Amino acid sequence: MRQDPVPPNDPVEQLVALLARIPGLGRRSARRAALRMLQDPERLMRPLSRALDAAAEAVSPCRVCGNLDSRDPCGICRDPRRERGLVCVVEGVSDLWALERAGAHRGLYHVLGGTLSALGGVSPEDLSIQPLVERVAKEGVEEVILALPATVEGASTGHYLADRLRPLSVPVTRLAQGVPMGGALDVLDDGTLAAALRARRPA
Amino acid sequence: MRQDPVPPNDPVEQLVALLARIPGLGRRSARRAALRMLQDPERLMRPLSRALDAAAEAVSPCRVCGNLDSRDPCGICRDPRRERGLVCVVEGVSDLWALERAGAHRGLYHVLGGTLSALGGVSPEDLSIQPLVERVAKEGVEEVILALPATVEGASTGHYLADRLRPLSVPVTRLAQGVPMGGALDVLDDGTLAAALRARRPA
């Protein structure tokens, strides 16, 4: 993320510079947003300011799974309806939230906090891997689902985790790769097409 | 702008709902932004919250021109280097800021606060038109430049203003219409092409 210096004096420029740090807002849209907000401060600025403070105060990483939540352990870890034997391993909290929005997973999660990367200098100690191994060893986990990105880093992290978990004799699975729902074949990349063809199933 | 109800309990959902009110951020990008912010609250949340409060406190419309600024009259109206006889009329503050970024105007401004619209129920009393007329009458204005949008409403507002200003015998001009810089002819709309052809000048 580009980090513009914050001009110290002018409140408008200062607001624009800080809004421009929000991922998804460029400098130009930050200026437009600031202007729109300044025309309706009681509805667009004061409540947001309070919500930022409240969330910064209340939200912290769950000590069990790494989810960000206002409770610790988080709402998912506390939920008695979740299958406690099924742990889905994700790279980051945004993946966890995406799976929750999809309502696709009925078990618990484990957030790694990244993927292994020799080039990026990310080694196993930088990720929440040892806590995952301990969790699987101690808490009667029956299946570990690796929901990692379909990248080189995601794949090598998956291999590393499978190696580390092998002594515990717990089944380790990973997400299927293939044609996305509604996806036209002719715009798909070669890798996805090849993977979908290799993983073909009876119709 | 869509106005989602703000969930009263969860601080994360509340932050997402309020971020989603920012023009330019949809629900999905608001969620992504909230997540990113929660991972670095001291840099991304606390300063923004303070800047929102500071700007909401300090910024108000300039009583002379309608610009939004932390001073009243605004920095432009106070600037002794600006040509006080040249007043550029704009629909909104965002247009004023765009002209300032372009460094295109060396005079002062007047923000109308909208354009006339029979369908939208916007009549002359809803806009800052009487203050403009008084300003032109009293302050030795030598030229009024209409920098209004090239829409039906912009054009009819321009005609109305020209009528209202005629008794004061001050030259009233409007922005040129034509091919934008770097614009390819074959993607331009018919109206712009026709206007550019009508307004052709010696090469």
Side-chain angles (χ1 to χ4, degrees):
Chain A
M1 203 181 335
R2 198 181 49 170
Q3 168 92 51
D4 283 317
V6 174
N9 288 317
D10 186 83
V12 176
E13 287 307 316
Q14 193 140 19
L15 178 60
V16 170
L18 287 164
L19 284 172
R21 287 186 184 173
I22 298 180
L25 280 188
R27 187 91 197 167
R28 210 189 181 96
S29 15
R31 190 168 292 280
R32 197 156 40 87
L35 186 51
R36 183 68 194 77
M37 292 174 134
L38 285 166
Q39 288 165 341
D40 195 355
E42 292 310 317
R43 198 179 70 83
L44 295 175
M45 300 175 78
R46 305 291 195 179
L48 177 57
S49 157
R50 285 193 296 270
L52 285 163
D53 285 335
E57 197 62 47
V59 175
S60 63
C62 169
R63 85 186 83 130
V64 179
C65 75
N67 186 19
L68 283 168
D69 199 57
S70 51
R71 290 177 294 172
D72 182 16
C74 74
I76 296 172
C77 285
R78 285 165 183 265
D79 186 344
R81 291 160 305 178
R82 314 286 301 211
E83 284 194 32
R84 313 200 76 77
L86 202 59
V87 172
C88 181
V89 177
V90 292
E91 180 182 25
V93 178
S94 62
D95 303 321
L96 188 163
W97 289 9
L99 286 161
E100 280 301 290
R101 279 199 300 282
H105 177 57
R106 55 183 200 283
L108 305 180
Y109 292 93
H110 191 89
V111 178
L112 287 181
T115 43
L116 296 175
S117 164
L119 280 174
V122 182
S123 58
E125 306 79 62
D126 300 320
L127 305 178
S128 176
I129 290 179
Q130 187 56 35
L132 171 66
V133 174
E134 288 168 17
R135 205 177 151 191
V136 172
K138 288 183 195 153
E139 293 181 19
V141 174
E142 288 152 21
E143 180 180 349
V144 175
I145 304 170
L146 304 178
L148 297 172
T151 58
V152 174
E153 287 81 13
S156 62
T157 307
H159 287 305
Y160 179 84
L161 289 177
D163 282 349
R164 286 286 300 270
L165 293 168
R166 190 158 299 128
L168 303 174
S169 306
V170 170
V172 177
T173 57
R174 65 172 177 80
L175 294 191
Q177 291 189 324
V179 182
M181 295 286 279
L185 291 192
D186 56 357
V187 296
L188 273 182
D189 63 292
D190 298 350
T192 303
L193 275 180
L197 203 57
R198 275 198 306 274
R200 66 192 178 279
R201 302 172 55 177
Chain B
M1 205 181 332
R2 198 181 50 170
Q3 168 93 54
D4 283 318
V6 175
N9 289 317
D10 185 83
V12 177
E13 287 306 316
Q14 192 138 19
L15 177 61
V16 171
L18 287 164
L19 284 171
R21 287 186 185 173
I22 297 179
L25 279 189
R27 186 89 196 168
R28 208 189 184 96
S29 14
R31 191 168 293 280
R32 196 157 41 87
L35 186 52
R36 183 70 194 75
M37 291 174 137
L38 285 166
Q39 288 164 343
D40 195 356
E42 292 310 315
R43 200 179 70 84
L44 294 175
M45 300 175 79
R46 304 289 193 181
L48 178 56
S49 157
R50 285 193 295 270
L52 285 163
D53 285 336
E57 199 63 47
V59 175
S60 63
C62 169
R63 84 185 84 130
V64 178
C65 75
N67 187 18
L68 283 168
D69 199 56
S70 51
R71 290 177 294 174
D72 181 16
C74 75
I76 295 171
C77 285
R78 286 165 184 266
D79 186 345
R81 291 161 305 178
R82 315 284 302 211
E83 284 195 31
R84 313 200 76 77
L86 203 57
V87 172
C88 181
V89 177
V90 292
E91 179 182 25
V93 178
S94 62
D95 303 322
L96 187 163
W97 288 9
L99 286 161
E100 280 302 290
R101 279 200 301 283
H105 178 57
R106 55 184 201 282
L108 305 180
Y109 292 93
H110 191 89
V111 178
L112 288 182
T115 44
L116 297 175
S117 164
L119 279 174
V122 182
S123 57
E125 306 81 60
D126 300 321
L127 305 178
S128 175
I129 290 180
Q130 186 56 34
L132 171 67
V133 174
E134 288 168 17
R135 205 176 152 193
V136 172
K138 287 181 196 155
E139 293 179 20
V141 173
E142 289 153 19
E143 179 179 350
V144 176
I145 304 170
L146 303 178
L148 298 172
T151 58
V152 174
E153 287 80 14
S156 62
T157 308
H159 287 305
Y160 179 85
L161 288 176
D163 282 350
R164 285 287 300 271
L165 294 169
R166 190 156 301 128
L168 303 174
S169 305
V170 171
V172 178
T173 56
R174 66 173 177 78
L175 295 190
Q177 290 188 325
V179 181
M181 295 287 278
L185 290 192
D186 56 356
V187 296
L188 273 181
D189 64 292
D190 298 350
T192 303
L193 274 181
L197 203 59
R198 274 198 307 274
R200 66 192 178 278
R201 304 173 55 177

